[in-house]
Amino acid sequence: MAHVLQNAVLPVDRDPDLLPLYVDPETWTSIDEEAVRVTSLAQLGNILGRNRARILAGRRVSFGTYFNAFPASYWQHWTAVRDVTLTVRTEGAATILVYRSTGAGVRQRIETREVTGSATTTVDLVLDQYSDGGWIWFDIAADDTDATFEGATWSTEQEPVRHGKASIGITTYNKPDYCVATLRDLSAAEDLRDLIDRVYLIDQGTRLVADEDGYSDAAEALGDTLQVIRQPNLGGSGGFARAMMETLGRPDSDFVQLLDDDVRIEPESLRRSIVFGRYASTPTIVGAHMFDLLDRAKLHAWAEVVDDKPFMWRTLFQERMPHDFSVANLRQSPILHMRLDADYNGWWMCLIPVEVIRAVGLSLPAFIKWDDAEFCLRARDAGFPTVSLPGAALWHVSWVGKDDSIDWQAYFHARNRVVAGLLHSSAPRGGTLIRHSRRVDLKHLMMMQYYPVALRHRALRDVLSGPEHMLGNLATAMPDARALASSFPETVIHKDDGVPMRSRKGRQVFKWTRRHEFDSPTGLRLRFFTFSTLVAHWLHSPKPENVAVPEVEFGKGDAQWWRVPLYDSALVSAAGGSGKNIYTRDRARFRRMLLETMRLHWQLRRQWPRLSREYRAALPRLTSEQTWRRIFDGS
């Protein structure tokens, strides 16, 4: 019996921006940008359905794309599958060319077949040369008349290791429109139906998904598969923990597939994740990549890791991200042909085997931030790897246009990073984490951003109080953090109302050059700048005229921590472009907060060994099904 590992698919949405992720016209590499644009638009008109496309006479189209090439390296490395059959169905006279790549992105021809009429072409492939990386794909070149692509599959005769289904867990807070779109896409995906056991919609908001237009039709199409669960807002960790707990009670579910709410899905990606999880040699967390929902050809996350010494997350080769497939396709991007191993995957889309949950527990009660990374590190330490699978992705509202390091989320960024470090860092006293955390405080203080510093201080005090605080403030930390904003005038966004806000010295504009990105002080110059700025802010009060009216104005991209501190006050564009914030130096507040920063970080360093032992001892209880059940029952 043939088991389909991957279907060739075409975009659900008729969106020209999506086309480079699915098919590549032959003129892609042309230096004539207008030709590329015209060809792409014309190609969209030749999309005949989810699995059908017209290949114009004399033209060639490649399926060597993000969603349609086969990630051979990942299948060879993480599964025991070795024999794969590519099946391509066509109508008309055409030539089918099959290629592979190496881990360095070098293209090699595997097979060439000429076909006529209604043809089903099969090519047997062996996965034994892809240890370091590499994809397999096919091109179709039409002869002197149009040809039609009728679909393609990658399959194997080998039986999967697991046969269970997946339950999908969607956590939402006031994103009903996105959720209805996801439910609608799930109900329309026929290839997914046999793989899904339940769809858990954990609604923690005040704008209920059940009240949204279109919900009734989507719910009716899903039938008993859909289960809506209402609970107070316990953050992403509380919503996903609920989905995990519910899935543990489903005998037919071998996996829980976590999905964020503000996303658009590619249904084939969900199918691929579940199938890959079934074939993984050991129980494996299967993560998906993230494209930008508002710039849909742009990939933001490939494989993510946590560096142990500073204990901070990052994307591998993050200097190459985001990757824009409208500028460089898969075949033009050698780095995307490497096998990249991840430490964790974001919970925008992540498949977790129930075996892993039973072995290591549910989500940490962290509300948001670091819960996904901490869970995957916990699983890794127990022998369960995480794979960020190419060809499995969705579109998520990206962090472009946001700055959650200076809003209420600063509390969770600070607290949860330190907690995760206490739980998993192998570096003595957290390595450079504490020093880096202190630097973050100093930068905010010099920038006159006192609200995030207050939140970060609260976070450190909570960490120092011991692990029990994570259960005690799970439902209250977020509203408390938001309420604190009223004490800090810089948190007010002054909306554009037709009367332009002005500063005394005008807007400071910096020419956008390569140096602009890297002109921050380093080495001895950094130390002198930091020391002299801290002393100046400690000794000098702002001039009254700079308190009454902002001294200067900065665009968001120019408001860097080594520029803003040179002034008494600054008018800075908000991250989302909705208005402006006014930052004003407050000497008394600066002095209090600077002393508190030094005290808290000194205490954290001194008590790190003891705190680490306490948090590690408490982890099994904090993440147990029994603890989470009491939280849900109590809420």
Side-chain angles (χ1 to χ4, degrees), residues 548-619:
V549 178
E551 184 176 3
V552 293
E553 179 182 354
F554 287 100
K556 186 62 179 179
D558 288 327
Q560 303 290 353
W561 64 268
W562 59 91
R563 296 192 180 116
V564 175
L566 302 178
Y567 302 93
D568 286 341
S569 58
L571 188 64
V572 179
S573 298
S578 58
K580 297 178 176 63
N581 301 95
I582 298 176
Y583 296 105
T584 304
R585 189 146 52 86
D586 183 330
R587 186 176 67 167
R589 179 168 272 172
F590 171 84
R591 287 177 169 181
R592 290 195 305 271
M593 286 188 161
L594 179 60
L595 293 175
E596 184 71 352
T597 286
M598 306 309 290
R599 185 186 71 83
L600 288 171
H601 285 91
W602 176 79
Q603 279 192 317
L604 182 60
R605 179 172 180 80
R606 184 171 61 87
Q607 298 181 34
W608 185 276
R610 175 184 63 80
L611 288 169
S612 181
R613 290 192 298 270
E614 289 182 3
Y615 277 87
R616 294 184 189 209
L619 182 61

Side-chain angles (χ1 to χ4, degrees), residues 82-255:
R82 292 297 174 266
D83 298 312
V84 174
T85 298
L86 167 63
T87 303
V88 183
R89 296 180 298 280
T90 54
E91 180 73 35
T95 301
I96 299 173
L97 306 99
V98 183
Y99 295 91
R100 61 152 291 189
S101 65
T102 68
V106 177
R107 184 179 67 172
Q108 300 173 342
R109 177 91 65 85
I110 296 177
E111 189 71 66
T112 304
R113 302 280 181 86
E114 294 186 3
V115 297
T116 58
S118 296
T120 299
T121 303
T122 61
V123 180
D124 293 328
L125 305 160
V126 180
L127 305 184
D128 61 357
Q129 302 178 58
Y130 303 92
S131 178
D132 291 334
W135 301 69
I136 308 173
W137 69 88
F138 62 93
D139 293 2
I140 300 177
D143 288 350
D144 54 359
T145 59
D146 291 356
T148 305
F149 168 69
E150 299 285 352
T153 59
W154 308 80
S155 61
T156 184
E157 298 286 337
Q158 188 168 326
E159 290 294 318
V161 179
R162 298 160 203 86
H163 292 83
K165 298 181 180 182
S167 287
I168 295 178
I170 305 170
T171 295
T172 183
Y173 179 79
N174 290 349
K175 299 287 194 317
D177 48 347
Y178 285 103
C179 290
V180 168
T182 297
L183 296 178
R184 185 168 54 243
D185 289 343
L186 289 174
S187 66
E190 296 183 5
D191 291 336
L192 263 178
R193 291 177 183 173
D194 291 339
L195 297 176
I196 296 178
D197 182 25
R198 277 287 185 274
V199 176
Y200 293 111
L201 178 64
I202 316 300
D203 196 338
Q204 303 184 133
T206 55
R207 293 168 48 208
L208 301 184
V209 177
D211 295 335
E212 184 73 9
D213 290 343
Y215 169 78
S216 297
D217 292 340
E220 182 179 358
L222 287 169
D224 293 339
T225 303
L226 176 64
Q227 182 175 343
V228 178
I229 298 173
R230 289 277 295 118
Q231 67 182 33
N233 185 16
L234 302 176
S237 65
F240 289 133
R242 185 62 178 267
M244 292 177 183
M245 189 185 78
E246 298 293 339
T247 301
L248 289 176
R250 299 293 305 177
D252 292 336
S253 286
D254 280 354
F255 312 93

Side-chain angles (χ1 to χ4, degrees), residues 451 479-492 589:
Y451 174 57
D480 288 348
R482 294 175 72 102
L484 187 62
S486 61
S487 302
F488 295 87
E490 82 261 17
T491 63
V492 176
R589 179 168 272 172

